[in-house]
Amino acid sequence: MYGAGTVALLLSGAFGGLDRTDANKVAGIEIGRQLDAAPVVLTITRVGTGPEYGPPAPADGGYRRSVKAGEGFRLVWVEAQLRNDSDRTVGIGTLRWVLGIQAPKLWDATKGTAGAVEDEVELQSKDGSPRFVPTEAFVELPAYEPFSSASPKLTYPVAFVWKQSLSEPEPTSLTLVVNRQTWRQDWLQPALMDWKDATEAYRADLPITGHST
Amino acid sequence: MRVPAVRLNPRRLAGGVSSGVLLLGALSVGLAIDKSSDDGGRATRAFVRTAELGQETVTGYAKITALSVDGGRRLVELRTPQATPGLWVVATVRWESVGEPEYPGRVSILAPDGTTYVHAALGGCPGSNPGIPVICRFQFEVDPDDLPGAIVEIAATDFDDRWTEIVHIDPAITTQMVQTWRDRDELPLAPAEPAAPMRTLR
């Protein structure tokens, strides 16, 4: 077996050698610390919960910018500074894999309050255990506007938002997972380059310190 | 029945091994040449067309003319975030399909250092029937320091491995223009002219 391994190693040398593997694995998360979450640098500033996130609806019935949990749900949210450290714009398809949480009974907060709850898709694994749950509900602060792409070199204050069923007890902490992605060719269409292979780089249980009303 | 013992023919074995070594050697040399001669795609990009504002370029998919490039701190358009850290830039482009109904594949702003700002809204241009031009507007949020010397890149299709359907338009953005845009609070994004009825959409 060692002989075969040695031969494979020698042969790989003729083709540039084997790829280096990162042995460090998963690091912790601290509030206010910059995290390398390629293609972005993420600095988590606060974790919170509440029935609504954002300013109340204007009295004149104008455009409402807040995210509402709706009946039977609470919101859980993570506020962060997000800087696109790559050399090109990244869109929602990449951003949604930057940060996820692991908690039971999570739902897609982009659905808002429109439509019946039973029509929505519960973001759980089939065996019911909590899994990594990305979000598509991004809010750009301080104006609480929808956020869907990050231009290079710019830093955005943002919030990631999820809905959680009130059948779960009020959480005192949240398990956060921050991924790192790789810029590479698509296997099937080599002309297409994109950020792929989201890999867990940071993980931590952070206490909930923010409460939105 | 007695099974005859298998005997390796030393000459055939040596021939097989040397063939394998030669094959792997040739492959590794080919790979080394390929890597050392990587020119960052300049060979294929030799086909990229260049133009100035107001100058029409005819590609296989469309006749493309960039009409203007303008900027401001806030974009007056409801679906675009208003309080953003960058400067908003709008490129107004005349698009006329050639041969069959088409629409732009990708529109970007390329900074002098290669930083790529991709059109910020989904869709953006309805495309047109052949011979019937439409005016399209593409918005970008850009780091203002990247704007002087930047160019607008329009890819007439998104599946263009050979870069034969790409136009680079130099709007001649100067530092003074960027300062004017920084001082402008609101940049109106006029609605694109309605597209002619499409026979088919790809």
mmCIF file of all heavy atoms in Angstrom, chain A residues 92-134:
data_model
loop_
_atom_site.group_PDB
_atom_site.id
_atom_site.type_symbol
_atom_site.label_atom_id
_atom_site.label_comp_id
_atom_site.label_asym_id
_atom_site.label_seq_id
_atom_site.Cartn_x
_atom_site.Cartn_y
_atom_site.Cartn_z
ATOM 1 N N ILE A 92 -26.585 37.373 -5.079
ATOM 2 C CA ILE A 92 -27.277 36.673 -4.003
ATOM 3 C C ILE A 92 -26.958 35.183 -3.991
ATOM 4 O O ILE A 92 -26.903 34.553 -2.938
ATOM 5 C CB ILE A 92 -28.810 36.910 -4.123
ATOM 6 C CG1 ILE A 92 -29.556 36.440 -2.880
ATOM 7 C CG2 ILE A 92 -29.380 36.247 -5.366
ATOM 8 C CD1 ILE A 92 -29.483 37.406 -1.756
ATOM 9 N N GLY A 93 -26.710 34.610 -5.184
ATOM 10 C CA GLY A 93 -26.414 33.177 -5.250
ATOM 11 C C GLY A 93 -25.160 32.817 -4.482
ATOM 12 O O GLY A 93 -25.024 31.701 -3.978
ATOM 13 N N THR A 94 -24.221 33.751 -4.374
ATOM 14 C CA THR A 94 -22.997 33.534 -3.594
ATOM 15 C C THR A 94 -23.182 34.011 -2.162
ATOM 16 O O THR A 94 -22.776 33.342 -1.208
ATOM 17 C CB THR A 94 -21.825 34.296 -4.248
ATOM 18 O OG1 THR A 94 -21.637 33.803 -5.575
ATOM 19 C CG2 THR A 94 -20.547 34.133 -3.451
ATOM 20 N N LEU A 95 -23.825 35.166 -2.004
ATOM 21 C CA LEU A 95 -23.969 35.755 -0.664
ATOM 22 C C LEU A 95 -24.750 34.840 0.275
ATOM 23 O O LEU A 95 -24.487 34.794 1.476
ATOM 24 C CB LEU A 95 -24.672 37.108 -0.762
ATOM 25 C CG LEU A 95 -23.885 38.229 -1.449
ATOM 26 C CD1 LEU A 95 -24.767 39.455 -1.632
ATOM 27 C CD2 LEU A 95 -22.650 38.586 -0.635
ATOM 28 N N ARG A 96 -25.709 34.098 -0.267
ATOM 29 C CA ARG A 96 -26.565 33.306 0.616
ATOM 30 C C ARG A 96 -25.808 32.175 1.292
ATOM 31 O O ARG A 96 -26.286 31.590 2.254
ATOM 32 C CB ARG A 96 -27.778 32.776 -0.138
ATOM 33 C CG ARG A 96 -27.484 31.701 -1.144
ATOM 34 C CD ARG A 96 -28.733 31.420 -1.955
ATOM 35 N NE ARG A 96 -29.835 31.003 -1.124
ATOM 36 C CZ ARG A 96 -30.106 29.727 -0.812
ATOM 37 N NH1 ARG A 96 -29.334 28.768 -1.281
ATOM 38 N NH2 ARG A 96 -31.127 29.409 -0.058
ATOM 39 N N TRP A 97 -24.609 31.843 0.774
ATOM 40 C CA TRP A 97 -23.831 30.771 1.398
ATOM 41 C C TRP A 97 -22.791 31.298 2.373
ATOM 42 O O TRP A 97 -22.041 30.530 2.961
ATOM 43 C CB TRP A 97 -23.159 29.926 0.313
ATOM 44 C CG TRP A 97 -24.169 29.135 -0.438
ATOM 45 C CD1 TRP A 97 -24.644 29.403 -1.695
ATOM 46 C CD2 TRP A 97 -24.893 28.005 0.033
ATOM 47 N NE1 TRP A 97 -25.605 28.493 -2.030
ATOM 48 C CE2 TRP A 97 -25.779 27.619 -0.995
ATOM 49 C CE3 TRP A 97 -24.875 27.272 1.218
ATOM 50 C CZ2 TRP A 97 -26.647 26.539 -0.866
ATOM 51 C CZ3 TRP A 97 -25.737 26.191 1.346
ATOM 52 C CH2 TRP A 97 -26.600 25.844 0.307
ATOM 53 N N VAL A 98 -22.712 32.601 2.551
ATOM 54 C CA VAL A 98 -21.695 33.174 3.433
ATOM 55 C C VAL A 98 -21.972 32.810 4.896
ATOM 56 O O VAL A 98 -21.084 32.374 5.623
ATOM 57 C CB VAL A 98 -21.645 34.707 3.257
ATOM 58 C CG1 VAL A 98 -20.841 35.356 4.374
ATOM 59 C CG2 VAL A 98 -21.053 35.060 1.905
ATOM 60 N N LEU A 99 -23.212 32.987 5.309
ATOM 61 C CA LEU A 99 -23.545 32.772 6.727
ATOM 62 C C LEU A 99 -24.812 31.934 6.840
ATOM 63 O O LEU A 99 -25.795 32.190 6.146
ATOM 64 C CB LEU A 99 -23.773 34.121 7.416
ATOM 65 C CG LEU A 99 -24.342 34.069 8.841
ATOM 66 C CD1 LEU A 99 -23.304 33.537 9.814
ATOM 67 C CD2 LEU A 99 -24.819 35.436 9.288
ATOM 68 N N GLY A 100 -24.767 30.946 7.709
ATOM 69 C CA GLY A 100 -25.966 30.167 8.003
ATOM 70 C C GLY A 100 -26.083 29.958 9.494
ATOM 71 O O GLY A 100 -25.154 30.252 10.255
ATOM 72 N N ILE A 101 -27.232 29.498 9.938
ATOM 73 C CA ILE A 101 -27.383 29.186 11.355
ATOM 74 C C ILE A 101 -27.908 27.765 11.485
ATOM 75 O O ILE A 101 -28.469 27.202 10.537
ATOM 76 C CB ILE A 101 -28.334 30.169 12.079
ATOM 77 C CG1 ILE A 101 -29.733 30.132 11.458
ATOM 78 C CG2 ILE A 101 -27.772 31.568 12.054
ATOM 79 C CD1 ILE A 101 -30.741 30.979 12.221
ATOM 80 N N GLN A 102 -27.692 27.200 12.644
ATOM 81 C CA GLN A 102 -28.241 25.883 12.925
ATOM 82 C C GLN A 102 -29.188 26.032 14.097
ATOM 83 O O GLN A 102 -28.774 26.318 15.224
ATOM 84 C CB GLN A 102 -27.131 24.886 13.259
ATOM 85 C CG GLN A 102 -26.476 24.317 12.002
ATOM 86 C CD GLN A 102 -25.564 23.166 12.311
ATOM 87 O OE1 GLN A 102 -24.822 23.221 13.278
ATOM 88 N NE2 GLN A 102 -25.594 22.141 11.495
ATOM 89 N N ALA A 103 -30.459 25.868 13.805
ATOM 90 C CA ALA A 103 -31.483 25.985 14.847
ATOM 91 C C ALA A 103 -32.712 25.215 14.372
ATOM 92 O O ALA A 103 -32.916 25.069 13.163
ATOM 93 C CB ALA A 103 -31.832 27.453 15.101
ATOM 94 N N PRO A 104 -33.536 24.733 15.293
ATOM 95 C CA PRO A 104 -34.727 23.987 14.876
ATOM 96 C C PRO A 104 -35.841 24.896 14.372
ATOM 97 O O PRO A 104 -35.925 26.063 14.752
ATOM 98 C CB PRO A 104 -35.138 23.255 16.153
ATOM 99 C CG PRO A 104 -34.570 24.062 17.254
ATOM 100 C CD PRO A 104 -33.349 24.730 16.740
ATOM 101 N N LYS A 105 -36.682 24.347 13.522
ATOM 102 C CA LYS A 105 -37.920 24.992 13.056
ATOM 103 C C LYS A 105 -37.681 26.373 12.452
ATOM 104 O O LYS A 105 -38.297 27.360 12.838
ATOM 105 C CB LYS A 105 -38.912 25.118 14.216
ATOM 106 C CG LYS A 105 -39.227 23.801 14.885
ATOM 107 C CD LYS A 105 -40.452 23.170 14.312
ATOM 108 C CE LYS A 105 -40.693 21.848 15.011
ATOM 109 N NZ LYS A 105 -41.977 21.320 14.958
ATOM 110 N N LEU A 106 -36.760 26.403 11.503
ATOM 111 C CA LEU A 106 -36.502 27.656 10.799
ATOM 112 C C LEU A 106 -37.298 27.690 9.501
ATOM 113 O O LEU A 106 -37.505 26.671 8.861
ATOM 114 C CB LEU A 106 -35.015 27.795 10.476
ATOM 115 C CG LEU A 106 -34.079 28.061 11.640
ATOM 116 C CD1 LEU A 106 -32.653 28.146 11.131
ATOM 117 C CD2 LEU A 106 -34.448 29.335 12.371
ATOM 118 N N TRP A 107 -37.694 28.904 9.112
ATOM 119 C CA TRP A 107 -38.458 29.097 7.886
ATOM 120 C C TRP A 107 -37.848 30.235 7.091
ATOM 121 O O TRP A 107 -37.123 31.064 7.619
ATOM 122 C CB TRP A 107 -39.929 29.415 8.195
ATOM 123 C CG TRP A 107 -40.640 28.360 8.967
ATOM 124 C CD1 TRP A 107 -40.351 27.948 10.232
ATOM 125 C CD2 TRP A 107 -41.741 27.568 8.534
ATOM 126 N NE1 TRP A 107 -41.213 26.946 10.614
ATOM 127 C CE2 TRP A 107 -42.083 26.701 9.599
ATOM 128 C CE3 TRP A 107 -42.487 27.511 7.356
ATOM 129 C CZ2 TRP A 107 -43.127 25.788 9.508
ATOM 130 C CZ3 TRP A 107 -43.538 26.611 7.271
ATOM 131 C CH2 TRP A 107 -43.840 25.753 8.337
ATOM 132 N N ASP A 108 -38.202 30.247 5.822
ATOM 133 C CA ASP A 108 -37.683 31.259 4.909
ATOM 134 C C ASP A 108 -38.338 32.610 5.189
ATOM 135 O O ASP A 108 -39.539 32.781 4.988
ATOM 136 C CB ASP A 108 -37.974 30.806 3.474
ATOM 137 C CG ASP A 108 -37.379 31.739 2.444
ATOM 138 O OD1 ASP A 108 -36.887 32.807 2.830
ATOM 139 O OD2 ASP A 108 -37.409 31.370 1.257
ATOM 140 N N ALA A 109 -37.530 33.576 5.615
ATOM 141 C CA ALA A 109 -38.095 34.887 5.973
ATOM 142 C C ALA A 109 -38.390 35.745 4.750
ATOM 143 O O ALA A 109 -39.011 36.791 4.874
ATOM 144 C CB ALA A 109 -37.133 35.625 6.912
ATOM 145 N N THR A 110 -37.946 35.330 3.565
ATOM 146 C CA THR A 110 -38.252 36.136 2.380
ATOM 147 C C THR A 110 -39.725 36.051 2.026
ATOM 148 O O THR A 110 -40.233 36.859 1.259
ATOM 149 C CB THR A 110 -37.452 35.670 1.144
ATOM 150 O OG1 THR A 110 -37.727 34.298 0.917
ATOM 151 C CG2 THR A 110 -35.981 35.883 1.347
ATOM 152 N N LYS A 111 -40.416 35.070 2.588
ATOM 153 C CA LYS A 111 -41.836 34.926 2.265
ATOM 154 C C LYS A 111 -42.669 36.008 2.946
ATOM 155 O O LYS A 111 -43.810 36.210 2.579
ATOM 156 C CB LYS A 111 -42.351 33.549 2.708
ATOM 157 C CG LYS A 111 -41.554 32.401 2.150
ATOM 158 C CD LYS A 111 -41.711 32.272 0.659
ATOM 159 C CE LYS A 111 -41.005 31.026 0.183
ATOM 160 N NZ LYS A 111 -40.767 31.015 -1.256
ATOM 161 N N GLY A 112 -42.075 36.672 3.941
ATOM 162 C CA GLY A 112 -42.805 37.730 4.630
ATOM 163 C C GLY A 112 -44.067 37.186 5.264
ATOM 164 O O GLY A 112 -44.102 36.073 5.766
ATOM 165 N N THR A 113 -45.118 37.970 5.209
ATOM 166 C CA THR A 113 -46.382 37.516 5.787
ATOM 167 C C THR A 113 -47.374 37.145 4.692
ATOM 168 O O THR A 113 -48.518 36.823 4.967
ATOM 169 C CB THR A 113 -46.995 38.626 6.654
ATOM 170 O OG1 THR A 113 -47.074 39.815 5.862
ATOM 171 C CG2 THR A 113 -46.143 38.902 7.868
ATOM 172 N N ALA A 114 -46.925 37.245 3.445
ATOM 173 C CA ALA A 114 -47.833 36.920 2.350
ATOM 174 C C ALA A 114 -47.998 35.403 2.244
ATOM 175 O O ALA A 114 -47.048 34.654 2.372
ATOM 176 C CB ALA A 114 -47.284 37.474 1.036
ATOM 177 N N GLY A 115 -49.205 34.960 2.042
ATOM 178 C CA GLY A 115 -49.454 33.537 1.853
ATOM 179 C C GLY A 115 -49.572 32.800 3.170
ATOM 180 O O GLY A 115 -49.082 33.232 4.199
ATOM 181 N N ALA A 116 -50.243 31.693 3.126
ATOM 182 C CA ALA A 116 -50.445 30.899 4.334
ATOM 183 C C ALA A 116 -49.144 30.231 4.749
ATOM 184 O O ALA A 116 -48.314 29.892 3.912
ATOM 185 C CB ALA A 116 -51.518 29.841 4.078
ATOM 186 N N VAL A 117 -48.990 30.073 6.061
ATOM 187 C CA VAL A 117 -47.759 29.489 6.589
ATOM 188 C C VAL A 117 -47.537 28.084 6.017
ATOM 189 O O VAL A 117 -46.428 27.693 5.675
ATOM 190 C CB VAL A 117 -47.836 29.442 8.125
ATOM 191 C CG1 VAL A 117 -46.741 28.547 8.688
ATOM 192 C CG2 VAL A 117 -47.704 30.836 8.686
ATOM 193 N N GLU A 118 -48.636 27.343 5.875
ATOM 194 C CA GLU A 118 -48.480 25.962 5.411
ATOM 195 C C GLU A 118 -48.002 25.871 3.963
ATOM 196 O O GLU A 118 -47.598 24.825 3.495
ATOM 197 C CB GLU A 118 -49.787 25.161 5.589
ATOM 198 C CG GLU A 118 -50.983 25.806 4.945
ATOM 199 C CD GLU A 118 -51.752 26.663 5.946
ATOM 200 O OE1 GLU A 118 -51.128 27.207 6.883
ATOM 201 O OE2 GLU A 118 -52.960 26.760 5.801
ATOM 202 N N ASP A 119 -48.078 26.996 3.259
ATOM 203 C CA ASP A 119 -47.587 26.988 1.872
ATOM 204 C C ASP A 119 -46.067 27.119 1.817
ATOM 205 O O ASP A 119 -45.460 26.896 0.784
ATOM 206 C CB ASP A 119 -48.186 28.154 1.079
ATOM 207 C CG ASP A 119 -49.670 27.973 0.861
ATOM 208 O OD1 ASP A 119 -50.115 26.822 0.977
ATOM 209 O OD2 ASP A 119 -50.365 28.963 0.603
ATOM 210 N N GLU A 120 -45.468 27.513 2.910
ATOM 211 C CA GLU A 120 -44.041 27.781 2.893
ATOM 212 C C GLU A 120 -43.236 26.500 3.099
ATOM 213 O O GLU A 120 -43.745 25.491 3.539
ATOM 214 C CB GLU A 120 -43.688 28.807 3.966
ATOM 215 C CG GLU A 120 -44.401 30.129 3.724
ATOM 216 C CD GLU A 120 -44.072 31.154 4.783
ATOM 217 O OE1 GLU A 120 -43.160 30.910 5.582
ATOM 218 O OE2 GLU A 120 -44.735 32.195 4.794
ATOM 219 N N VAL A 121 -41.980 26.589 2.782
ATOM 220 C CA VAL A 121 -41.118 25.424 2.886
ATOM 221 C C VAL A 121 -40.331 25.511 4.189
ATOM 222 O O VAL A 121 -39.632 26.480 4.439
ATOM 223 C CB VAL A 121 -40.135 25.374 1.705
ATOM 224 C CG1 VAL A 121 -39.220 24.172 1.816
ATOM 225 C CG2 VAL A 121 -40.903 25.357 0.398
ATOM 226 N N GLU A 122 -40.452 24.499 4.998
ATOM 227 C CA GLU A 122 -39.704 24.500 6.246
ATOM 228 C C GLU A 122 -38.268 24.099 5.964
ATOM 229 O O GLU A 122 -38.012 23.107 5.287
ATOM 230 C CB GLU A 122 -40.320 23.533 7.251
ATOM 231 C CG GLU A 122 -39.727 23.715 8.632
ATOM 232 C CD GLU A 122 -40.442 22.869 9.675
ATOM 233 O OE1 GLU A 122 -41.339 22.112 9.304
ATOM 234 O OE2 GLU A 122 -40.069 22.968 10.836
ATOM 235 N N LEU A 123 -37.354 24.883 6.462
ATOM 236 C CA LEU A 123 -35.945 24.665 6.156
ATOM 237 C C LEU A 123 -35.322 23.713 7.169
ATOM 238 O O LEU A 123 -34.529 24.081 8.011
ATOM 239 C CB LEU A 123 -35.203 26.001 6.152
ATOM 240 C CG LEU A 123 -35.696 26.995 5.098
ATOM 241 C CD1 LEU A 123 -35.089 28.357 5.342
ATOM 242 C CD2 LEU A 123 -35.355 26.510 3.713
ATOM 243 N N GLN A 124 -35.724 22.477 7.098
ATOM 244 C CA GLN A 124 -35.215 21.465 8.018
ATOM 245 C C GLN A 124 -34.699 20.277 7.225
ATOM 246 O O GLN A 124 -35.099 20.054 6.089
ATOM 247 C CB GLN A 124 -36.320 20.990 8.951
ATOM 248 C CG GLN A 124 -36.768 22.033 9.955
ATOM 249 C CD GLN A 124 -35.686 22.362 10.950
ATOM 250 O OE1 GLN A 124 -35.337 23.499 11.119
ATOM 251 N NE2 GLN A 124 -35.143 21.352 11.599
ATOM 252 N N SER A 125 -33.837 19.494 7.809
ATOM 253 C CA SER A 125 -33.430 18.264 7.158
ATOM 254 C C SER A 125 -34.555 17.232 7.304
ATOM 255 O O SER A 125 -35.464 17.386 8.110
ATOM 256 C CB SER A 125 -32.150 17.733 7.800
ATOM 257 O OG SER A 125 -32.389 17.454 9.150
ATOM 258 N N LYS A 126 -34.481 16.170 6.520
ATOM 259 C CA LYS A 126 -35.571 15.205 6.502
ATOM 260 C C LYS A 126 -35.746 14.490 7.840
ATOM 261 O O LYS A 126 -36.846 14.115 8.210
ATOM 262 C CB LYS A 126 -35.334 14.182 5.389
ATOM 263 C CG LYS A 126 -35.663 14.760 4.017
ATOM 264 C CD LYS A 126 -35.468 13.730 2.945
ATOM 265 C CE LYS A 126 -35.798 14.362 1.596
ATOM 266 N NZ LYS A 126 -35.451 13.502 0.480
ATOM 267 N N ASP A 127 -34.643 14.288 8.559
ATOM 268 C CA ASP A 127 -34.789 13.583 9.835
ATOM 269 C C ASP A 127 -35.143 14.555 10.966
ATOM 270 O O ASP A 127 -35.202 14.161 12.125
ATOM 271 C CB ASP A 127 -33.505 12.805 10.170
ATOM 272 C CG ASP A 127 -32.317 13.737 10.360
ATOM 273 O OD1 ASP A 127 -32.498 14.974 10.288
ATOM 274 O OD2 ASP A 127 -31.209 13.232 10.579
ATOM 275 N N GLY A 128 -35.361 15.823 10.645
ATOM 276 C CA GLY A 128 -35.812 16.775 11.658
ATOM 277 C C GLY A 128 -34.708 17.452 12.418
ATOM 278 O O GLY A 128 -34.956 18.367 13.194
ATOM 279 N N SER A 129 -33.460 17.034 12.207
ATOM 280 C CA SER A 129 -32.377 17.654 12.958
ATOM 281 C C SER A 129 -32.003 18.995 12.330
ATOM 282 O O SER A 129 -32.137 19.171 11.120
ATOM 283 C CB SER A 129 -31.157 16.732 12.959
ATOM 284 O OG SER A 129 -30.736 16.523 11.635
ATOM 285 N N PRO A 130 -31.545 19.944 13.135
ATOM 286 C CA PRO A 130 -31.164 21.236 12.577
ATOM 287 C C PRO A 130 -30.015 21.073 11.594
ATOM 288 O O PRO A 130 -29.112 20.285 11.811
ATOM 289 C CB PRO A 130 -30.710 22.035 13.794
ATOM 290 C CG PRO A 130 -31.264 21.326 14.965
ATOM 291 C CD PRO A 130 -31.363 19.890 14.581
ATOM 292 N N ARG A 131 -30.055 21.775 10.530
ATOM 293 C CA ARG A 131 -28.950 21.743 9.573
ATOM 294 C C ARG A 131 -28.553 23.177 9.245
ATOM 295 O O ARG A 131 -29.216 24.121 9.656
ATOM 296 C CB ARG A 131 -29.341 20.995 8.306
ATOM 297 C CG ARG A 131 -30.452 21.660 7.511
ATOM 298 C CD ARG A 131 -30.594 20.972 6.176
ATOM 299 N NE ARG A 131 -31.739 21.428 5.428
ATOM 300 C CZ ARG A 131 -31.777 22.539 4.698
ATOM 301 N NH1 ARG A 131 -30.745 23.341 4.673
ATOM 302 N NH2 ARG A 131 -32.856 22.865 4.021
ATOM 303 N N PHE A 132 -27.482 23.284 8.464
ATOM 304 C CA PHE A 132 -27.040 24.610 8.034
ATOM 305 C C PHE A 132 -28.161 25.255 7.227
ATOM 306 O O PHE A 132 -28.624 24.691 6.243
ATOM 307 C CB PHE A 132 -25.791 24.484 7.175
ATOM 308 C CG PHE A 132 -25.354 25.774 6.548
ATOM 309 C CD1 PHE A 132 -24.522 26.644 7.229
ATOM 310 C CD2 PHE A 132 -25.783 26.127 5.282
ATOM 311 C CE1 PHE A 132 -24.115 27.833 6.653
ATOM 312 C CE2 PHE A 132 -25.382 27.314 4.693
ATOM 313 C CZ PHE A 132 -24.542 28.159 5.401
ATOM 314 N N VAL A 133 -28.602 26.407 7.637
ATOM 315 C CA VAL A 133 -29.682 27.081 6.932
ATOM 316 C C VAL A 133 -29.195 28.438 6.446
ATOM 317 O O VAL A 133 -29.013 29.361 7.232
ATOM 318 C CB VAL A 133 -30.916 27.249 7.841
ATOM 319 C CG1 VAL A 133 -32.046 27.914 7.072
ATOM 320 C CG2 VAL A 133 -31.369 25.904 8.368
ATOM 321 N N PRO A 134 -28.957 28.563 5.133
ATOM 322 C CA PRO A 134 -28.614 29.887 4.600
ATOM 323 C C PRO A 134 -29.873 30.724 4.519
ATOM 324 O O PRO A 134 -30.966 30.249 4.813
ATOM 325 C CB PRO A 134 -28.073 29.572 3.207
ATOM 326 C CG PRO A 134 -28.782 28.326 2.808
ATOM 327 C CD PRO A 134 -29.072 27.562 4.069
#
